[in-house]
Amino acid sequence: MTDEEYGALRASAALWAGTSVLITDQRGRVLIQRVDYRTTCLLPGGAVDKSESPAQGAARELHEELGVTMTVDRGLAVDWVSADGSNAPADMRFPGEILHVYDGGTWDDEQIASIRLPEGEVESIEFVEPALLPDLMSPGDARRALSALRARINTAGPALLENGLPIAPTVLDRAGALRTARARHHLPFHAGPAPEQLSVVQAWGWLLAPDGRVLLLLEPDTGAALLPGGTPEPQDRDNPLATLRRETHEEAEAEFGDPQFLGHLCDPDKPYARLRYAAPLTRLGPPPVDPATGRTHIRVLATPEQALEFFDWGPPAANQLAAVHRARAQFGIPRAARQPLTELPDATDPTIF
């Protein structure tokens, strides 16, 4: 084969190149754009220009679409989009596309206020709950955005996708994490005991493995996340710790050592208190069927910071996180470095982590 023939062969298999940027606010909501040429929303981004790298294209698109100048240097996903994986008009002769998704980071109020939209193309932007992406974006775009967001939380490196789906799914992908609305409780966190006039309606625990990560449970059918714990039952005899131990055993077949009370959340509109504890995780047995739901939770270890990304607890979450780390230090447990989540096997000695 001559060079000319080889070049023609490769050109016949050429794909388009695209780029996009995943940006979240401090509540973990995703920035999407409403544009004048699509009925569905998009992440910031667009086509990669001739002689331009995907990262350069991403930075250029951020400047053109949001009026923001920033370096884009961390990839979250690379998606192979098939020729029939898009609703492109036939006249466009869409050949397929390689689309790169970059991490635009978590933006604070000042960064969001600096956004300046162009006069045309981008009509508006908004930050939305991840679970709403399938309602607002095309199916492929939503799959890609959720896969990229899971890859960002998991920190195992960029995800390789085909039509938005990982070719090597992580536990977060298999569980479908973030495809249902996260628990939303923007309730004040108080370090002291709950006032006696409040009824305790929940006792949850931050159970710390020896490496500083915490036990997190994922619902197998919805991907929703929760910490071990639950609602008091009559057999608990108004003892919140009895509630926490019972629920932890029923949900995760887990046991913990001497706990430390962290504080409580209170609802300004209801006379309720939600208690929070921290404790060393000491034992895990085979994952049980939860008698309350009939389901077996998926058990993972995550850093406390990663665990918070599965909830929408608002600014008060920072105070709760600080209390967790104070208790961790008092237990003599190290602070965990951010790392990929670990799915726990059927029975695990937590001291190996």
Side-chain angles (χ1 to χ4, degrees):
M1 185 179 295
T2 66
D3 289 346
E4 182 179 359
E5 291 170 334
Y6 182 73
L9 177 65
R10 294 300 299 269
S12 69
L15 301 176
W16 291 359
T19 187
S20 61
V21 183
L22 182 88
I23 297 165
T24 56
D25 65 7
Q26 292 177 310
R27 286 176 51 188
R29 299 178 300 178
V30 178
L31 186 153
I32 57 170
Q33 300 179 156
R34 297 185 185 274
V35 295
D36 58 14
Y37 58 89
R38 291 276 292 268
T39 59
T40 54
C41 297
L42 298 168
L43 298 180
V48 176
D49 288 347
K50 185 177 180 180
S51 301
E52 183 180 57
S53 74
Q56 290 170 337
R60 173 182 53 76
E61 291 284 352
L62 284 178
H63 182 70
E64 293 176 357
E65 296 181 341
L66 302 180
V68 172
T69 300
M70 63 180 292
T71 301
V72 180
D73 57 9
R74 179 171 177 244
L76 294 178
V78 179
D79 192 11
W80 174 84
V81 182
S82 64
D84 58 358
S86 170
N87 293 324
D91 291 346
M92 193 177 287
R93 293 181 294 174
F94 177 64
E97 185 172 25
I98 298 295
L99 205 153
H100 299 251
V101 185
Y102 290 93
D103 188 358
T106 298
W107 288 17
D108 58 25
D109 291 343
E110 183 177 350
Q111 289 172 292
I112 294 170
S114 72
I115 293 174
R116 297 292 181 268
L117 301 183
E119 292 187 2
E121 184 178 344
V122 181
E123 297 178 331
S124 64
I125 61 104
E126 62 182 304
F127 286 87
V128 301
E129 174 68 24
L132 292 178
L133 295 178
D135 297 328
L136 299 169
M137 308 177 82
S138 71
D141 289 345
R143 289 194 299 268
R144 183 184 313 112
L146 283 172
S147 293
L149 182 57
R150 293 175 189 136
R152 181 214 261 188
I153 294 172
N154 196 43
T155 66
L160 299 180
L161 313 177
E162 292 184 358
N163 289 319
L165 297 175
I167 61 176
T170 68
V171 61
L172 297 183
D173 299 310
R174 295 194 304 273
L178 303 173
R179 63 187 168 91
T180 56
R182 299 171 300 162
R184 185 181 187 278
H185 292 298
H186 289 208
L187 303 176
F189 176 78
H190 303 277
E196 292 185 1
Q197 67 268 25
L198 299 183
S199 299
V200 174
V201 296
Q202 186 187 77
W204 275 8
W206 294 83
L207 305 187
L208 290 146
D211 70 350
R213 290 185 290 171
V214 296
L215 180 62
L216 184 71
L217 307 179
L218 301 174
E219 296 279 9
D221 51 348
T222 67
L226 63 153
L227 294 174
T231 305
E233 299 288 349
Q235 63 265 37
D236 301 330
R237 301 179 182 276
D238 295 323
N239 182 344
L241 272 176
T243 297
L244 180 58
R245 292 192 185 279
R246 175 184 54 76
E247 289 281 358
T248 298
H249 177 76
E250 293 176 354
E251 294 173 341
E253 189 65 35
E255 297 177 2
F256 54 86
D258 291 338
Q260 184 175 131
F261 180 70
L262 299 181
H264 70 280
L265 307 173
C266 63
D267 190 330
D269 301 320
K270 298 177 182 177
Y272 298 152
R274 303 167 188 267
L275 307 188
R276 296 292 183 263
Y277 293 86
L281 180 64
T282 58
R283 177 188 169 276
L284 284 170
V289 176
D290 186 346
T293 64
R295 298 189 294 265
T296 299
H297 294 99
I298 300 169
R299 307 177 303 180
V300 298
L301 288 180
T303 68
E305 289 75 15
Q306 285 170 313
L308 276 183
E309 296 186 58
F310 295 98
F311 305 104
D312 180 10
W313 289 349
N319 294 329
Q320 187 174 168
L321 181 64
V324 172
H325 280 301
R326 285 194 295 269
R328 172 194 55 74
Q330 290 179 14
F331 293 141
I333 295 175
R335 188 180 188 120
R338 195 172 180 98
Q339 59 193 282
L341 276 69
T342 300
E343 183 176 7
L344 299 174
D346 285 351
T348 303
D349 176 1
T351 62
I352 68 175
F353 296 103

